[in-house]
Amino acid sequence: HFWRLGWDYSVTPTLLNHLIVGSNRSNSKNYAVPIISNTDWFSTIGIGNASSQNFPVITNGYTTQEGMPNNGDNVDNGLRVVESISWQKGAHSLTFGTDDRYQQYTPLAGNSPTINFCASQTAVDPNEPQTGNGLASEMLGLACNGNQNVFAHQSRWISWYYSGYAQEDWKGSRNLTLNLGVNYSVDVPRHEADNFTSNFSPTAIDPEVGVPGALVISPHCNGCNTRWADTWYNAIAPRIGFAYSPSRWNGKLAVRGGFDGQGASRGPRG
């Protein structure tokens, strides 16, 4: 779902305010077909100690896998606020503006248990599993093992972006226009909403062996940056351009050029 709302307001005949507010929401579902029925399949088929709306994935080592483990969803939400003020004063056309963005990304993962049937369950001798057949074990309901993933936490990744700029288009003469501007932006590294993250630290002391180098868990670390990356505050980007058309060209040809300095963020994204 995407929507935008724009509003232009003329403060004076030479001063215009332009505002845009918007939202982005994408939902990328990756579900196996049985999930659509919204049924607790393990209760339905009488298997305990597991709960899932996905039918179990079944393997027997003989025929093709039965069922699909797909049980996830990626939800991406964003908010946008963009505003600018344009001022026309003689040969100068000035624009000042901001661009602010909020983003929340949530990869949802659901449980998809697996039941495995092995040849050893129908073998003549437990020490000779080759004498058995996994399909026969499945037909008799003799499972050898099973597994499931239990997700204690569903991550929500939060990020912010701020930007401000000033720009001037100056008509120095009837044949020459100069474009001057500068942009300043702060791209804040993302973080998990509840700080449920971890990272390797080359300086943290490993409690087992007492040497530097250990995994640091963010909810339990003292004074650590839970974004695992510093915010870069020096992203300044100057912009210079020009357009030149000599009179002898009769307005049929113009030469244009420009320079743009990129002040991108640095460091890992966490």
Side-chain angles (χ1 to χ4, degrees):
H1 302 86
F2 303 88
W3 64 266
R4 296 290 185 272
L5 178 65
W7 181 54
D8 291 331
Y9 176 66
S10 296
V11 183
T12 69
T14 60
L15 190 63
L16 174 67
N17 183 78
H18 179 63
L19 174 66
I20 297 177
V21 178
S23 172
N24 304 330
R25 178 179 173 84
S26 62
N27 194 347
S28 179
K29 297 180 179 181
N30 185 21
Y31 293 144
V33 174
I35 297 176
I36 301 175
S37 67
N38 196 29
T39 302
D40 186 346
W41 287 103
F42 280 75
S43 296
T44 301
I45 61 181
I47 298 177
N49 300 321
S51 177
S52 177
Q53 292 181 341
N54 193 12
F55 196 83
V57 176
I58 297 175
T59 67
N60 57 42
Y62 187 78
T63 61
T64 303
Q65 168 185 297
E66 303 165 33
M68 295 297 295
N70 306 59
N71 189 1
D73 191 2
N74 291 294
V75 182
D76 202 3
N77 296 302
L79 297 176
R80 305 287 187 266
V81 178
V82 179
E83 186 171 19
S84 65
I85 296 177
S86 300
W87 181 29
Q88 187 68 44
K89 184 174 177 60
H92 301 273
S93 179
L94 302 170
T95 303
F96 307 91
T98 63
D99 181 359
D100 301 318
R101 310 174 192 176
Y102 166 82
Q103 202 72 24
Q104 176 182 283
Y105 171 66
T106 305
L108 298 173
N111 182 26
S112 288
T114 299
I115 301 175
N116 302 308
F117 295 90
C118 305
S120 58
Q121 304 307 111
T122 50
V124 175
D125 188 326
N127 296 320
E128 298 181 359
Q130 70 275 10
T131 61
N133 184 281
L135 178 59
S137 298
E138 179 181 351
M139 297 296 291
L140 294 173
L142 302 175
C144 57
N145 59 65
N147 62 77
Q148 63 176 333
N149 295 319
V150 178
F151 300 91
H153 180 72
Q154 303 286 359
S155 298
R156 292 182 296 119
W157 297 98
I158 308 296
S159 62
W160 288 89
Y161 173 84
Y162 311 94
S163 176
Y165 68 91
Q167 179 176 313
E168 178 183 4
D169 296 329
W170 175 47
K171 194 168 183 61
S173 69
R174 59 180 300 178
N175 302 322
L176 177 65
T177 300
L178 295 179
N179 313 111
L180 307 173
V182 62
N183 182 82
Y184 176 73
S185 61
V186 178
D187 193 357
V188 182
R190 70 179 186 179
H191 74 282
E192 206 282 319
D194 297 316
N195 291 328
F196 276 41
T197 58
S198 62
N199 200 7
F200 177 79
S201 171
T203 58
I205 303 300
D206 189 317
E208 294 294 329
V209 295
V211 299
L215 190 67
V216 178
I217 310 299
S218 65
H220 307 291
C221 61
N222 295 320
C224 64
N225 180 2
T226 56
R227 300 180 188 276
W228 308 112
D230 294 331
T231 303
W232 179 243
Y233 291 103
N234 297 322
I236 301 175
R239 301 174 183 181
I240 301 174
F242 73 92
Y244 178 62
S245 179
S247 300
R248 61 179 179 273
W249 292 352
N250 298 319
K252 297 181 179 179
L253 183 65
V255 178
R256 300 179 183 273
F259 167 80
D260 182 4
Q262 296 293 329
S265 301
R266 68 177 183 179
R269 294 296 298 171

